[in-house]
Amino acid sequence: MLTVKNLHASVGEKEILRGINLEVHPGEVHAIMGPNGSGKSTLASVLAGRGTFTVTGGEILYKGRDIRNLTPEERSWAGIFLGFQYPIEIPGVSNVNFIKAAVTEHRKQKGLPELSAAQFLKLMKEKMAIVEMDSSFSGRAVNVGFSGGEKKRNEIFQMAMLEPDLAILDETDSGLDVDALRIVATGVNRMRRPDNATVVITHYQRLLDYIVPDFIHVLYKGQIIHTAGKELALEIEEKGYDWLINK
Amino acid sequence: MAEVIRYDFGAGAPQTVLQGFEKTPAAGRFALTLAPGAAATVYVLQDEPSVARLDAEYEVTLAEGASLQMIFVALSGAQISNRVRIALQGPHAECRLGGLYLPSGDQQMSFNVRLSHDVPECYSSQLFKGILRDRAQSRFDGLIYVAPDAQKTEAYQANHNLLLSTEARAEARPQLEIYADDVKCSHGATVGRLNEDELFYLRSRGITAEEAARLQQMAFVGEVLEMVSDSALRDSLTARVLTRL
Ligand SMILES: Nc1ncnc2c1ncn2[C@@H]1O[C@H](COP(=O)(O)OP(=O)(O)O)[C@@H](O)[C@H]1O
Ligand SMILES: [Mg+2]
């Protein structure tokens, strides 16, 4: 599904990703861990096509196709979803209009007709239920005045609406209390299919108790320095990252 | 000089005046007088061929307890200039001003507002917002004047501009002249561009760059359009604005 080969990316003169290799197959869950500032969010942003970062080397193959020149919206249509570490607030645009615009464009790209208002509301209700989000959030401006946890639920709600093939969830667990974490994780698990894949970026082993990864990668200074199975999370929880960095 | 067109609003049921809609003029010289307790809403639509030059002048006085809402929607015209003089002359008079301007091409639009609180205990608010594209220019000069004995005045003013091209230019000159000490006043002006973080967020959900920019512009002007309380009029103004975004 996703093959990242020797990926280098910079902001201005500053190189942040320094040769990333990653292979994700359908049905898999990958976790990316690593200390703050190691480049996890940058990797997620680069995969989603954020213009702030320049890819200076390497390849990103998604479903066999080089996506480096695709716009963020083209990547979204192709099935890539980024759950933001810091979801953006958009004053003046309601959550319902936002997600409606997104779903309508996705359907248009697939050659499907626009959903009727009733169909759309039904779909929205169903997907909001997955993350136990109250319907009052529909009319509110996107993420404005949402608590940290509400923003993260809103990300997973959007994911549920768009049904991506590759979801990259950047610290979706941060700012969540235990109940919200369980709700969000259960939501993500319910969306898993044999033909889609999930990359979760996290600091904490506790999320991985719910969303069990097939692989854990440790990112440090723009490179993946270690890859192992799910048991690595516990080891990191106990020993930190130093033993991996100094290896 | 053009003849002054007068509107005298007496106390009683609120009245609405539409300027620039169908046969009423969008420009000219107007004198509006609000008697004690009068309530009026004035909408000024300026949507002319892009060769037209429009000059509008409004002299407005509000007596005790009068209330006025005035909303300008300037959509098109080679050169549009609005000069607005409002005097709050009786206690508890209230004035809410809204303005939207969307110049494109080489259009120039300007607002020159002087809002004076001559007596105590009046309220005024001003919200002017502009979106400028191409080589368009705008200018907002807004003065809030508070007379020495106009205590307990509340006066707010905001002017925000969104530039959609590198050649567009918006000038904002808010001014306060306050001679009373017990007042609540604020003013603020900004000139900015579309927010890149918001754009990326919208696009990452599959919304095209054009649609994302339109959503942001709608959000930007929404605050002024929401001031239009008549929902049919609001919808028709919104539709007109949408064709310009
Ligand atoms: N827009 C940016 N401009 C400059 N530096 C950036 C930018 N975004 C990220 N960085 C830098 O890149 C490094 C990696 O950041 P990030 O990808 O956010 O790390 P992580 O998500 O692993 O905490 C940090 O040193 C950070 O300061
Ligand atoms: Mg991060």
PDB file of all heavy atoms in Angstrom, chain A residues 50 71-73 76-77 81-82 84 89 91 98 102 105-106 143 155 158, chain B residues 196-198 200-209 211 215-216 219:
ATOM      1  N   ARG A  50       1.773  18.339   2.634  1.00  0.00           N
ATOM      2  CA  ARG A  50       1.839  19.710   3.114  1.00  0.00           C
ATOM      3  C   ARG A  50       2.981  20.470   2.435  1.00  0.00           C
ATOM      4  O   ARG A  50       4.113  20.016   2.401  1.00  0.00           O
ATOM      5  CB  ARG A  50       2.058  19.718   4.622  1.00  0.00           C
ATOM      6  CG  ARG A  50       1.933  21.085   5.212  1.00  0.00           C
ATOM      7  CD  ARG A  50       1.783  21.021   6.703  1.00  0.00           C
ATOM      8  NE  ARG A  50       1.165  22.250   7.164  1.00  0.00           N
ATOM      9  CZ  ARG A  50       0.504  22.358   8.290  1.00  0.00           C
ATOM     10  NH1 ARG A  50       0.352  21.331   9.062  1.00  0.00           N
ATOM     11  NH2 ARG A  50      -0.018  23.505   8.648  1.00  0.00           N
ATOM     12  N   THR A  71      -1.383  16.936  -5.069  1.00  0.00           N
ATOM     13  CA  THR A  71      -1.813  17.945  -4.090  1.00  0.00           C
ATOM     14  C   THR A  71      -2.414  17.227  -2.878  1.00  0.00           C
ATOM     15  O   THR A  71      -2.766  16.042  -2.967  1.00  0.00           O
ATOM     16  CB  THR A  71      -2.901  18.862  -4.689  1.00  0.00           C
ATOM     17  OG1 THR A  71      -4.037  18.052  -5.013  1.00  0.00           O
ATOM     18  CG2 THR A  71      -2.401  19.563  -5.951  1.00  0.00           C
ATOM     19  N   PRO A  72      -2.567  17.937  -1.764  1.00  0.00           N
ATOM     20  CA  PRO A  72      -3.190  17.307  -0.593  1.00  0.00           C
ATOM     21  C   PRO A  72      -4.577  16.742  -0.910  1.00  0.00           C
ATOM     22  O   PRO A  72      -4.916  15.636  -0.466  1.00  0.00           O
ATOM     23  CB  PRO A  72      -3.293  18.446   0.414  1.00  0.00           C
ATOM     24  CG  PRO A  72      -2.228  19.418   0.015  1.00  0.00           C
ATOM     25  CD  PRO A  72      -2.104  19.307  -1.485  1.00  0.00           C
ATOM     26  N   GLU A  73      -5.384  17.477  -1.699  1.00  0.00           N
ATOM     27  CA  GLU A  73      -6.731  16.985  -1.984  1.00  0.00           C
ATOM     28  C   GLU A  73      -6.691  15.731  -2.872  1.00  0.00           C
ATOM     29  O   GLU A  73      -7.492  14.805  -2.683  1.00  0.00           O
ATOM     30  CB  GLU A  73      -7.629  18.075  -2.579  1.00  0.00           C
ATOM     31  CG  GLU A  73      -7.150  18.767  -3.843  1.00  0.00           C
ATOM     32  CD  GLU A  73      -6.328  20.024  -3.564  1.00  0.00           C
ATOM     33  OE1 GLU A  73      -5.538  20.025  -2.593  1.00  0.00           O
ATOM     34  OE2 GLU A  73      -6.449  20.996  -4.346  1.00  0.00           O
ATOM     35  N   SER A  76      -6.010  12.893  -0.663  1.00  0.00           N
ATOM     36  CA  SER A  76      -7.217  12.546   0.091  1.00  0.00           C
ATOM     37  C   SER A  76      -8.162  11.714  -0.784  1.00  0.00           C
ATOM     38  O   SER A  76      -8.684  10.681  -0.341  1.00  0.00           O
ATOM     39  CB  SER A  76      -7.900  13.831   0.564  1.00  0.00           C
ATOM     40  OG  SER A  76      -9.155  13.549   1.133  1.00  0.00           O
ATOM     41  N   TRP A  77      -8.357  12.137  -2.027  1.00  0.00           N
ATOM     42  CA  TRP A  77      -9.241  11.376  -2.920  1.00  0.00           C
ATOM     43  C   TRP A  77      -8.709   9.970  -3.139  1.00  0.00           C
ATOM     44  O   TRP A  77      -9.481   9.031  -3.310  1.00  0.00           O
ATOM     45  CB  TRP A  77      -9.378  12.076  -4.287  1.00  0.00           C
ATOM     46  CG  TRP A  77      -9.852  13.489  -4.208  1.00  0.00           C
ATOM     47  CD1 TRP A  77     -10.623  14.036  -3.212  1.00  0.00           C
ATOM     48  CD2 TRP A  77      -9.587  14.547  -5.124  1.00  0.00           C
ATOM     49  NE1 TRP A  77     -10.839  15.363  -3.461  1.00  0.00           N
ATOM     50  CE2 TRP A  77     -10.226  15.710  -4.631  1.00  0.00           C
ATOM     51  CE3 TRP A  77      -8.872  14.650  -6.330  1.00  0.00           C
ATOM     52  CZ2 TRP A  77     -10.164  16.949  -5.289  1.00  0.00           C
ATOM     53  CZ3 TRP A  77      -8.818  15.875  -6.985  1.00  0.00           C
ATOM     54  CH2 TRP A  77      -9.455  17.003  -6.478  1.00  0.00           C
ATOM     55  N   PHE A  81      -5.525   9.625   4.659  1.00  0.00           N
ATOM     56  CA  PHE A  81      -6.129  10.495   5.671  1.00  0.00           C
ATOM     57  C   PHE A  81      -5.100  10.797   6.745  1.00  0.00           C
ATOM     58  O   PHE A  81      -4.432   9.903   7.250  1.00  0.00           O
ATOM     59  CB  PHE A  81      -7.338   9.809   6.308  1.00  0.00           C
ATOM     60  CG  PHE A  81      -7.986  10.637   7.390  1.00  0.00           C
ATOM     61  CD1 PHE A  81      -8.981  11.547   7.077  1.00  0.00           C
ATOM     62  CD2 PHE A  81      -7.589  10.500   8.721  1.00  0.00           C
ATOM     63  CE1 PHE A  81      -9.568  12.322   8.072  1.00  0.00           C
ATOM     64  CE2 PHE A  81      -8.177  11.279   9.719  1.00  0.00           C
ATOM     65  CZ  PHE A  81      -9.171  12.187   9.392  1.00  0.00           C
ATOM     66  N   LEU A  82      -4.985  12.072   7.091  1.00  0.00           N
ATOM     67  CA  LEU A  82      -4.099  12.467   8.176  1.00  0.00           C
ATOM     68  C   LEU A  82      -4.919  12.964   9.356  1.00  0.00           C
ATOM     69  O   LEU A  82      -5.687  13.924   9.232  1.00  0.00           O
ATOM     70  CB  LEU A  82      -3.145  13.590   7.701  1.00  0.00           C
ATOM     71  CG  LEU A  82      -2.317  14.293   8.778  1.00  0.00           C
ATOM     72  CD1 LEU A  82      -1.394  13.321   9.501  1.00  0.00           C
ATOM     73  CD2 LEU A  82      -1.493  15.435   8.164  1.00  0.00           C
ATOM     74  N   PHE A  84      -4.692  14.977  12.477  1.00  0.00           N
ATOM     75  CA  PHE A  84      -3.716  15.978  12.899  1.00  0.00           C
ATOM     76  C   PHE A  84      -3.375  15.883  14.389  1.00  0.00           C
ATOM     77  O   PHE A  84      -4.257  15.679  15.224  1.00  0.00           O
ATOM     78  CB  PHE A  84      -4.254  17.391  12.628  1.00  0.00           C
ATOM     79  CG  PHE A  84      -4.182  17.817  11.188  1.00  0.00           C
ATOM     80  CD1 PHE A  84      -4.782  17.059  10.188  1.00  0.00           C
ATOM     81  CD2 PHE A  84      -3.518  18.979  10.820  1.00  0.00           C
ATOM     82  CE1 PHE A  84      -4.721  17.452   8.854  1.00  0.00           C
ATOM     83  CE2 PHE A  84      -3.453  19.387   9.492  1.00  0.00           C
ATOM     84  CZ  PHE A  84      -4.050  18.633   8.511  1.00  0.00           C
ATOM     85  N   GLU A  89      -8.357  25.004  13.900  1.00  0.00           N
ATOM     86  CA  GLU A  89      -9.656  25.642  14.133  1.00  0.00           C
ATOM     87  C   GLU A  89     -10.009  26.508  12.927  1.00  0.00           C
ATOM     88  O   GLU A  89      -9.155  27.229  12.413  1.00  0.00           O
ATOM     89  CB  GLU A  89      -9.584  26.533  15.375  1.00  0.00           C
ATOM     90  CG  GLU A  89      -9.237  25.749  16.624  1.00  0.00           C
ATOM     91  CD  GLU A  89      -9.210  26.610  17.885  1.00  0.00           C
ATOM     92  OE1 GLU A  89      -9.505  27.816  17.785  1.00  0.00           O
ATOM     93  OE2 GLU A  89      -8.887  26.066  18.948  1.00  0.00           O
ATOM     94  N   PRO A  91     -12.703  29.246  12.268  1.00  0.00           N
ATOM     95  CA  PRO A  91     -13.835  30.072  12.671  1.00  0.00           C
ATOM     96  C   PRO A  91     -14.719  30.371  11.463  1.00  0.00           C
ATOM     97  O   PRO A  91     -14.217  30.601  10.359  1.00  0.00           O
ATOM     98  CB  PRO A  91     -13.180  31.367  13.176  1.00  0.00           C
ATOM     99  CG  PRO A  91     -11.751  31.036  13.396  1.00  0.00           C
ATOM    100  CD  PRO A  91     -11.408  29.915  12.480  1.00  0.00           C
ATOM    101  N   PHE A  98     -18.253  21.803   6.567  1.00  0.00           N
ATOM    102  CA  PHE A  98     -16.894  21.341   6.290  1.00  0.00           C
ATOM    103  C   PHE A  98     -16.909  19.888   5.817  1.00  0.00           C
ATOM    104  O   PHE A  98     -16.427  19.561   4.726  1.00  0.00           O
ATOM    105  CB  PHE A  98     -16.082  21.515   7.581  1.00  0.00           C
ATOM    106  CG  PHE A  98     -14.763  20.790   7.641  1.00  0.00           C
ATOM    107  CD1 PHE A  98     -13.802  20.969   6.665  1.00  0.00           C
ATOM    108  CD2 PHE A  98     -14.477  19.957   8.718  1.00  0.00           C
ATOM    109  CE1 PHE A  98     -12.574  20.322   6.743  1.00  0.00           C
ATOM    110  CE2 PHE A  98     -13.257  19.307   8.813  1.00  0.00           C
ATOM    111  CZ  PHE A  98     -12.308  19.491   7.818  1.00  0.00           C
ATOM    112  N   ALA A 102     -16.304  18.095   2.040  1.00  0.00           N
ATOM    113  CA  ALA A 102     -15.311  17.039   1.838  1.00  0.00           C
ATOM    114  C   ALA A 102     -15.956  15.795   1.216  1.00  0.00           C
ATOM    115  O   ALA A 102     -15.459  15.250   0.222  1.00  0.00           O
ATOM    116  CB  ALA A 102     -14.644  16.695   3.171  1.00  0.00           C
ATOM    117  N   GLU A 105     -17.017  16.316  -2.428  1.00  0.00           N
ATOM    118  CA  GLU A 105     -15.885  16.295  -3.364  1.00  0.00           C
ATOM    119  C   GLU A 105     -15.376  14.865  -3.568  1.00  0.00           C
ATOM    120  O   GLU A 105     -15.083  14.465  -4.704  1.00  0.00           O
ATOM    121  CB  GLU A 105     -14.771  17.208  -2.822  1.00  0.00           C
ATOM    122  CG  GLU A 105     -13.715  17.576  -3.834  1.00  0.00           C
ATOM    123  CD  GLU A 105     -14.256  18.243  -5.095  1.00  0.00           C
ATOM    124  OE1 GLU A 105     -15.038  19.200  -4.975  1.00  0.00           O
ATOM    125  OE2 GLU A 105     -13.900  17.797  -6.207  1.00  0.00           O
ATOM    126  N   HIS A 106     -15.313  14.104  -2.489  1.00  0.00           N
ATOM    127  CA  HIS A 106     -14.893  12.697  -2.616  1.00  0.00           C
ATOM    128  C   HIS A 106     -15.833  11.939  -3.547  1.00  0.00           C
ATOM    129  O   HIS A 106     -15.398  11.161  -4.393  1.00  0.00           O
ATOM    130  CB  HIS A 106     -14.862  12.020  -1.241  1.00  0.00           C
ATOM    131  CG  HIS A 106     -13.550  12.171  -0.537  1.00  0.00           C
ATOM    132  ND1 HIS A 106     -12.643  11.150  -0.398  1.00  0.00           N
ATOM    133  CD2 HIS A 106     -12.985  13.252   0.044  1.00  0.00           C
ATOM    134  CE1 HIS A 106     -11.572  11.588   0.260  1.00  0.00           C
ATOM    135  NE2 HIS A 106     -11.757  12.860   0.535  1.00  0.00           N
ATOM    136  N   ASN A 143     -13.717  22.810  15.141  1.00  0.00           N
ATOM    137  CA  ASN A 143     -12.742  22.745  16.233  1.00  0.00           C
ATOM    138  C   ASN A 143     -12.662  23.983  17.137  1.00  0.00           C
ATOM    139  O   ASN A 143     -11.866  24.012  18.069  1.00  0.00           O
ATOM    140  CB  ASN A 143     -11.326  22.442  15.704  1.00  0.00           C
ATOM    141  CG  ASN A 143     -11.245  21.050  15.105  1.00  0.00           C
ATOM    142  OD1 ASN A 143     -11.876  20.118  15.598  1.00  0.00           O
ATOM    143  ND2 ASN A 143     -10.487  20.895  14.038  1.00  0.00           N
ATOM    144  N   GLU A 155     -11.492  14.419  14.631  1.00  0.00           N
ATOM    145  CA  GLU A 155     -10.605  13.862  13.595  1.00  0.00           C
ATOM    146  C   GLU A 155     -11.076  12.467  13.203  1.00  0.00           C
ATOM    147  O   GLU A 155     -11.157  12.133  12.016  1.00  0.00           O
ATOM    148  CB  GLU A 155      -9.151  13.778  14.099  1.00  0.00           C
ATOM    149  CG  GLU A 155      -8.480  15.110  14.368  1.00  0.00           C
ATOM    150  CD  GLU A 155      -8.262  15.921  13.106  1.00  0.00           C
ATOM    151  OE1 GLU A 155      -7.380  15.596  12.302  1.00  0.00           O
ATOM    152  OE2 GLU A 155      -9.008  16.891  12.924  1.00  0.00           O
ATOM    153  N   GLN A 158     -14.198  12.506  11.187  1.00  0.00           N
ATOM    154  CA  GLN A 158     -13.923  12.831   9.771  1.00  0.00           C
ATOM    155  C   GLN A 158     -13.372  11.607   9.041  1.00  0.00           C
ATOM    156  O   GLN A 158     -13.720  11.334   7.888  1.00  0.00           O
ATOM    157  CB  GLN A 158     -12.928  13.988   9.665  1.00  0.00           C
ATOM    158  CG  GLN A 158     -13.487  15.316  10.157  1.00  0.00           C
ATOM    159  CD  GLN A 158     -12.396  16.338  10.424  1.00  0.00           C
ATOM    160  OE1 GLN A 158     -11.425  16.440   9.677  1.00  0.00           O
ATOM    161  NE2 GLN A 158     -12.537  17.096  11.489  1.00  0.00           N
TER     162      GLN A 158
ATOM    163  N   GLU B 196      -2.876  29.661   5.836  1.00  0.00           N
ATOM    164  CA  GLU B 196      -2.302  28.463   5.193  1.00  0.00           C
ATOM    165  C   GLU B 196      -2.618  27.173   5.952  1.00  0.00           C
ATOM    166  O   GLU B 196      -2.830  26.133   5.346  1.00  0.00           O
ATOM    167  CB  GLU B 196      -0.773  28.600   5.075  1.00  0.00           C
ATOM    168  CG  GLU B 196      -0.318  29.562   3.996  1.00  0.00           C
ATOM    169  CD  GLU B 196      -0.720  29.107   2.580  1.00  0.00           C
ATOM    170  OE1 GLU B 196      -0.747  27.880   2.335  1.00  0.00           O
ATOM    171  OE2 GLU B 196      -1.018  29.978   1.742  1.00  0.00           O
ATOM    172  N   ASP B 197      -2.625  27.260   7.273  1.00  0.00           N
ATOM    173  CA  ASP B 197      -2.925  26.062   8.069  1.00  0.00           C
ATOM    174  C   ASP B 197      -4.351  25.594   7.804  1.00  0.00           C
ATOM    175  O   ASP B 197      -4.609  24.401   7.653  1.00  0.00           O
ATOM    176  CB  ASP B 197      -2.769  26.346   9.565  1.00  0.00           C
ATOM    177  CG  ASP B 197      -1.314  26.524   9.960  1.00  0.00           C
ATOM    178  OD1 ASP B 197      -0.442  26.038   9.221  1.00  0.00           O
ATOM    179  OD2 ASP B 197      -1.060  27.150  11.002  1.00  0.00           O
ATOM    180  N   GLU B 198      -5.277  26.581   7.752  1.00  0.00           N
ATOM    181  CA  GLU B 198      -6.670  26.226   7.471  1.00  0.00           C
ATOM    182  C   GLU B 198      -6.791  25.626   6.069  1.00  0.00           C
ATOM    183  O   GLU B 198      -7.487  24.630   5.874  1.00  0.00           O
ATOM    184  CB  GLU B 198      -7.571  27.462   7.576  1.00  0.00           C
ATOM    185  CG  GLU B 198      -7.711  27.987   8.990  1.00  0.00           C
ATOM    186  CD  GLU B 198      -8.620  29.217   9.072  1.00  0.00           C
ATOM    187  OE1 GLU B 198      -9.362  29.481   8.117  1.00  0.00           O
ATOM    188  OE2 GLU B 198      -8.562  29.913  10.096  1.00  0.00           O
ATOM    189  N   PHE B 200      -4.563  24.019   4.318  1.00  0.00           N
ATOM    190  CA  PHE B 200      -4.039  22.654   4.269  1.00  0.00           C
ATOM    191  C   PHE B 200      -5.000  21.676   4.941  1.00  0.00           C
ATOM    192  O   PHE B 200      -5.235  20.575   4.451  1.00  0.00           O
ATOM    193  CB  PHE B 200      -2.648  22.575   4.916  1.00  0.00           C
ATOM    194  CG  PHE B 200      -2.128  21.158   4.975  1.00  0.00           C
ATOM    195  CD1 PHE B 200      -1.862  20.453   3.811  1.00  0.00           C
ATOM    196  CD2 PHE B 200      -1.948  20.519   6.194  1.00  0.00           C
ATOM    197  CE1 PHE B 200      -1.420  19.138   3.852  1.00  0.00           C
ATOM    198  CE2 PHE B 200      -1.503  19.201   6.244  1.00  0.00           C
ATOM    199  CZ  PHE B 200      -1.239  18.513   5.069  1.00  0.00           C
ATOM    200  N   TYR B 201      -5.567  22.101   6.052  1.00  0.00           N
ATOM    201  CA  TYR B 201      -6.508  21.230   6.757  1.00  0.00           C
ATOM    202  C   TYR B 201      -7.695  20.882   5.856  1.00  0.00           C
ATOM    203  O   TYR B 201      -8.067  19.722   5.708  1.00  0.00           O
ATOM    204  CB  TYR B 201      -6.989  21.934   8.024  1.00  0.00           C
ATOM    205  CG  TYR B 201      -7.745  21.061   9.006  1.00  0.00           C
ATOM    206  CD1 TYR B 201      -7.143  19.949   9.579  1.00  0.00           C
ATOM    207  CD2 TYR B 201      -9.045  21.383   9.386  1.00  0.00           C
ATOM    208  CE1 TYR B 201      -7.827  19.165  10.501  1.00  0.00           C
ATOM    209  CE2 TYR B 201      -9.728  20.607  10.318  1.00  0.00           C
ATOM    210  CZ  TYR B 201      -9.113  19.503  10.866  1.00  0.00           C
ATOM    211  OH  TYR B 201      -9.798  18.743  11.780  1.00  0.00           O
ATOM    212  N   LEU B 202      -8.270  21.906   5.229  1.00  0.00           N
ATOM    213  CA  LEU B 202      -9.422  21.684   4.341  1.00  0.00           C
ATOM    214  C   LEU B 202      -9.027  20.790   3.164  1.00  0.00           C
ATOM    215  O   LEU B 202      -9.738  19.842   2.812  1.00  0.00           O
ATOM    216  CB  LEU B 202      -9.947  23.031   3.821  1.00  0.00           C
ATOM    217  CG  LEU B 202     -10.605  23.935   4.874  1.00  0.00           C
ATOM    218  CD1 LEU B 202     -10.672  25.379   4.398  1.00  0.00           C
ATOM    219  CD2 LEU B 202     -12.003  23.429   5.226  1.00  0.00           C
ATOM    220  N   ARG B 203      -7.875  21.069   2.577  1.00  0.00           N
ATOM    221  CA  ARG B 203      -7.442  20.291   1.408  1.00  0.00           C
ATOM    222  C   ARG B 203      -7.107  18.854   1.787  1.00  0.00           C
ATOM    223  O   ARG B 203      -7.344  17.931   1.006  1.00  0.00           O
ATOM    224  CB  ARG B 203      -6.241  20.964   0.750  1.00  0.00           C
ATOM    225  CG  ARG B 203      -6.581  22.329   0.168  1.00  0.00           C
ATOM    226  CD  ARG B 203      -5.379  23.008  -0.417  1.00  0.00           C
ATOM    227  NE  ARG B 203      -4.957  22.366  -1.660  1.00  0.00           N
ATOM    228  CZ  ARG B 203      -3.849  22.687  -2.318  1.00  0.00           C
ATOM    229  NH1 ARG B 203      -3.043  23.622  -1.845  1.00  0.00           N
ATOM    230  NH2 ARG B 203      -3.547  22.062  -3.434  1.00  0.00           N
ATOM    231  N   SER B 204      -6.592  18.661   2.990  1.00  0.00           N
ATOM    232  CA  SER B 204      -6.252  17.297   3.412  1.00  0.00           C
ATOM    233  C   SER B 204      -7.504  16.436   3.536  1.00  0.00           C
ATOM    234  O   SER B 204      -7.422  15.222   3.624  1.00  0.00           O
ATOM    235  CB  SER B 204      -5.504  17.317   4.749  1.00  0.00           C
ATOM    236  OG  SER B 204      -6.416  17.530   5.812  1.00  0.00           O
ATOM    237  N   ARG B 205      -8.674  17.087   3.561  1.00  0.00           N
ATOM    238  CA  ARG B 205      -9.936  16.335   3.618  1.00  0.00           C
ATOM    239  C   ARG B 205     -10.557  16.187   2.233  1.00  0.00           C
ATOM    240  O   ARG B 205     -11.710  15.766   2.094  1.00  0.00           O
ATOM    241  CB  ARG B 205     -10.926  17.033   4.557  1.00  0.00           C
ATOM    242  CG  ARG B 205     -10.433  17.179   5.996  1.00  0.00           C
ATOM    243  CD  ARG B 205     -10.010  15.846   6.588  1.00  0.00           C
ATOM    244  NE  ARG B 205      -9.610  15.922   7.989  1.00  0.00           N
ATOM    245  CZ  ARG B 205      -8.425  15.544   8.443  1.00  0.00           C
ATOM    246  NH1 ARG B 205      -7.501  15.080   7.614  1.00  0.00           N
ATOM    247  NH2 ARG B 205      -8.154  15.597   9.734  1.00  0.00           N
ATOM    248  N   GLY B 206      -9.809  16.615   1.210  1.00  0.00           N
ATOM    249  CA  GLY B 206     -10.289  16.413  -0.153  1.00  0.00           C
ATOM    250  C   GLY B 206     -11.016  17.606  -0.745  1.00  0.00           C
ATOM    251  O   GLY B 206     -11.531  17.548  -1.855  1.00  0.00           O
ATOM    252  N   ILE B 207     -11.056  18.706  -0.001  1.00  0.00           N
ATOM    253  CA  ILE B 207     -11.698  19.922  -0.524  1.00  0.00           C
ATOM    254  C   ILE B 207     -10.668  20.624  -1.422  1.00  0.00           C
ATOM    255  O   ILE B 207      -9.514  20.778  -1.030  1.00  0.00           O
ATOM    256  CB  ILE B 207     -12.147  20.817   0.658  1.00  0.00           C
ATOM    257  CG1 ILE B 207     -13.209  20.068   1.471  1.00  0.00           C
ATOM    258  CG2 ILE B 207     -12.657  22.160   0.165  1.00  0.00           C
ATOM    259  CD1 ILE B 207     -13.557  20.709   2.803  1.00  0.00           C
ATOM    260  N   THR B 208     -11.083  20.984  -2.634  1.00  0.00           N
ATOM    261  CA  THR B 208     -10.113  21.574  -3.567  1.00  0.00           C
ATOM    262  C   THR B 208      -9.604  22.916  -3.042  1.00  0.00           C
ATOM    263  O   THR B 208     -10.263  23.567  -2.226  1.00  0.00           O
ATOM    264  CB  THR B 208     -10.742  21.822  -4.953  1.00  0.00           C
ATOM    265  OG1 THR B 208     -11.827  22.734  -4.790  1.00  0.00           O
ATOM    266  CG2 THR B 208     -11.258  20.541  -5.584  1.00  0.00           C
ATOM    267  N   ALA B 209      -8.463  23.327  -3.552  1.00  0.00           N
ATOM    268  CA  ALA B 209      -7.872  24.592  -3.119  1.00  0.00           C
ATOM    269  C   ALA B 209      -8.847  25.746  -3.360  1.00  0.00           C
ATOM    270  O   ALA B 209      -8.995  26.634  -2.512  1.00  0.00           O
ATOM    271  CB  ALA B 209      -6.560  24.837  -3.863  1.00  0.00           C
ATOM    272  N   GLU B 211     -12.205  25.638  -3.588  1.00  0.00           N
ATOM    273  CA  GLU B 211     -13.344  25.546  -2.678  1.00  0.00           C
ATOM    274  C   GLU B 211     -12.913  25.917  -1.256  1.00  0.00           C
ATOM    275  O   GLU B 211     -13.661  26.577  -0.526  1.00  0.00           O
ATOM    276  CB  GLU B 211     -13.930  24.126  -2.744  1.00  0.00           C
ATOM    277  CG  GLU B 211     -15.221  23.922  -1.965  1.00  0.00           C
ATOM    278  CD  GLU B 211     -16.367  24.836  -2.384  1.00  0.00           C
ATOM    279  OE1 GLU B 211     -16.370  25.317  -3.537  1.00  0.00           O
ATOM    280  OE2 GLU B 211     -17.261  25.077  -1.533  1.00  0.00           O
ATOM    281  N   LEU B 215     -14.576  28.767   0.994  1.00  0.00           N
ATOM    282  CA  LEU B 215     -15.099  28.541   2.354  1.00  0.00           C
ATOM    283  C   LEU B 215     -14.503  29.560   3.333  1.00  0.00           C
ATOM    284  O   LEU B 215     -15.208  30.107   4.171  1.00  0.00           O
ATOM    285  CB  LEU B 215     -14.769  27.115   2.832  1.00  0.00           C
ATOM    286  CG  LEU B 215     -15.665  25.979   2.354  1.00  0.00           C
ATOM    287  CD1 LEU B 215     -15.086  24.632   2.788  1.00  0.00           C
ATOM    288  CD2 LEU B 215     -17.087  26.126   2.908  1.00  0.00           C
ATOM    289  N   GLN B 216     -13.223  29.799   3.195  1.00  0.00           N
ATOM    290  CA  GLN B 216     -12.581  30.757   4.094  1.00  0.00           C
ATOM    291  C   GLN B 216     -13.110  32.166   3.875  1.00  0.00           C
ATOM    292  O   GLN B 216     -13.305  32.925   4.818  1.00  0.00           O
ATOM    293  CB  GLN B 216     -11.069  30.758   3.879  1.00  0.00           C
ATOM    294  CG  GLN B 216     -10.380  29.614   4.582  1.00  0.00           C
ATOM    295  CD  GLN B 216      -8.884  29.827   4.590  1.00  0.00           C
ATOM    296  OE1 GLN B 216      -8.260  29.910   3.547  1.00  0.00           O
ATOM    297  NE2 GLN B 216      -8.307  29.923   5.760  1.00  0.00           N
ATOM    298  N   ALA B 219     -16.533  32.413   5.344  1.00  0.00           N
ATOM    299  CA  ALA B 219     -16.426  32.522   6.798  1.00  0.00           C
ATOM    300  C   ALA B 219     -16.060  33.951   7.191  1.00  0.00           C
ATOM    301  O   ALA B 219     -16.574  34.496   8.163  1.00  0.00           O
ATOM    302  CB  ALA B 219     -15.370  31.543   7.312  1.00  0.00           C
TER     303      ALA B 219
END
